[in-house]
Amino acid sequence: MKKQRIFSIIMIVCIIVVAVVCIFDVTSKSRNKDNRDKSTPEAEVTVFAAASMNSSLKDIIKEYNKDNPKVTINVSADSSGALMQQIEEGAPCDIFFSAAQSNMDELQSKGLIDKKSRHNVVNNQLCVITRKGTKTKVKNIESLDKAESLAIAAASVPVGKYTRQALINVGVFDKGTDPTAITTQQLSDALGGVTISEQSNVSKVLAAVTEGSAQFGTTYYSCTYGYDNVTILQKVPYSTSGDIIYPVACVKNKQASKAEKTAAKDFAEFLRSKTAKKIYKEHLFDTSVKDK
């Protein structure tokens, strides 16, 4: 009986010890979780991004928020030229993701971005597109004079500038012509009277073609992602259009709090991560670019 009593006491002590250890472990984990949550500040980050980045950024933000649930990323997507102008006019913005180096260069020359945070992220490719099923003699950038109507972005919009540069390089305009100075009327005349539908950004060019208001258009390869009713007639070689490099940088936003500046820097770095690059590739971007 004495042995049984001793054994019972030992068992009770063991049960108590195990219970105390479990309670301590749960409490410790809970405390660590609370501390982790408190160390991640709530912040809102505003990203001004080229319209062609819109769909890929949605997926990238989802991935980023898995580890940073308290950071809200707001994206304003438009032509890089229009966004650049808004930043110059003082619009609150934390990150600029441009479809052209020239727009970023201008902001840097005016001291509006943190040049140390500037990096090249992806390359894109100019495309000649039409609606699926369209019967046409247009095969490439050189044969756009065979089109009846063409949607093209304005010369101030990167994709519009790259299109005009490609037309210069294939001989539609004289070498040395400033692509940003080519008007819609000059473009129409050079292509034999093709009806030009000028658009304010690349997304609207794509919409004009898919909705049937224009027979053809020039857009980015990445913009055709997810569009089953689009036929790509040509992916214009880089040698014709030039590289279409997208740089990203943090904007010197005087209105941002310390937490917002920290979050902006962190998200800008995430935009260059392996996770982000995988998403860019899925959205038809070329990630094999030199960082600077």
Side-chain angles (χ1 to χ4, degrees):
M1 290 293 292
K2 188 175 181 179
K3 288 184 179 180
Q4 288 180 344
R5 185 178 299 172
I6 293 173
F7 179 78
S8 297
I9 292 171
I10 293 173
M11 288 299 295
I12 291 170
V13 170
C14 289
I15 291 171
I16 292 171
V17 170
V18 170
V20 170
V21 170
C22 288
I23 291 170
F24 178 82
D25 185 57
V26 169
T27 303
S28 178
K29 286 181 179 179
S30 177
R31 187 183 300 115
N32 288 339
K33 183 179 184 297
D34 289 342
N35 289 338
R36 185 184 67 245
D37 289 345
K38 290 176 183 177
S39 68
T40 306
E42 291 186 12
E44 285 195 25
V45 175
T46 299
V47 181
F48 279 12
S52 50
M53 291 299 312
N54 202 23
S55 63
S56 57
L57 279 178
K58 288 179 181 178
D59 289 346
I60 289 171
I61 290 169
K62 286 179 183 177
E63 288 298 317
Y64 180 76
N65 282 148
K66 287 179 180 179
D67 293 325
N68 302 275
K70 291 186 178 182
V71 179
T72 301
I73 309 293
N74 301 312
V75 178
S76 178
D78 204 339
S79 77
S80 299
L83 295 171
M84 176 196 71
Q85 186 174 5
Q86 291 176 38
I87 293 171
E88 290 175 329
E89 293 172 351
C93 170
D94 301 297
I95 297 172
F96 182 40
F97 206 155
S98 175
Q101 298 279 23
S102 58
N103 299 128
M104 192 69 79
D105 290 342
E106 183 167 341
L107 292 182
Q108 183 171 322
S109 70
K110 295 179 178 179
L112 296 176
I113 65 164
D114 176 6
K115 64 180 182 181
K116 291 183 179 180
S117 70
R118 178 176 176 174
H119 297 276
N120 295 333
V121 181
V122 294
N123 200 348
N124 214 336
Q125 198 159 9
L126 186 69
C127 289
V128 178
I129 64 168
T130 189
R131 288 183 73 183
K132 193 171 184 178
T134 300
K135 295 180 179 179
T136 175
K137 293 181 180 179
V138 175
K139 302 297 180 185
N140 47 37
I141 196 82
E142 293 94 331
S143 57
L144 284 176
D145 58 341
K146 295 181 175 63
E148 293 180 6
S149 59
L150 173 67
I152 186 172
S156 60
V157 179
V159 69
K161 178 183 176 182
Y162 291 123
T163 299
R164 288 165 173 78
Q165 185 60 61
L167 290 169
I168 291 169
N169 289 339
V170 298
V172 174
F173 294 97
D174 294 335
K175 294 286 184 181
T177 300
D178 179 2
T180 62
I182 299 173
T183 67
T184 301
Q185 187 59 53
Q186 289 172 331
L187 186 59
S188 177
D189 293 342
L191 294 174
V194 173
T195 299
I196 303 294
S197 172
E198 187 173 277
Q199 303 296 329
S200 60
N201 63 49
V202 69
S203 297
K204 291 182 179 179
V205 171
L206 187 65
V209 175
T210 56
E211 292 169 5
S213 60
Q215 190 181 17
F216 301 93
T218 56
T219 185
Y220 293 131
Y221 184 38
S222 66
C223 291
T224 65
Y225 174 82
Y227 281 86
D228 296 331
N229 61 336
V230 168
T231 295
I232 299 173
L233 299 173
Q234 182 196 26
K235 288 194 286 184
V236 181
Y238 291 133
S239 58
T240 301
S241 65
D243 284 327
I244 304 174
I245 304 295
Y246 287 55
V248 69
C250 290
V251 177
K252 294 180 180 178
N253 184 3
K254 295 180 181 179
Q255 301 177 43
S257 66
K258 184 177 179 181
E260 288 168 340
K261 289 178 181 179
T262 299
K265 182 179 179 181
D266 187 61
F267 184 62
E269 291 177 356
F270 186 77
L271 289 171
R272 302 186 293 114
S273 67
K274 289 182 179 179
T275 300
K277 286 182 178 180
K278 182 180 178 181
I279 294 172
Y280 295 134
K281 286 182 179 180
E282 290 172 354
H283 286 258
L284 310 180
F285 284 98
D286 178 2
T287 59
S288 58
V289 298
K290 291 184 178 180
D291 188 18
K292 290 186 178 180

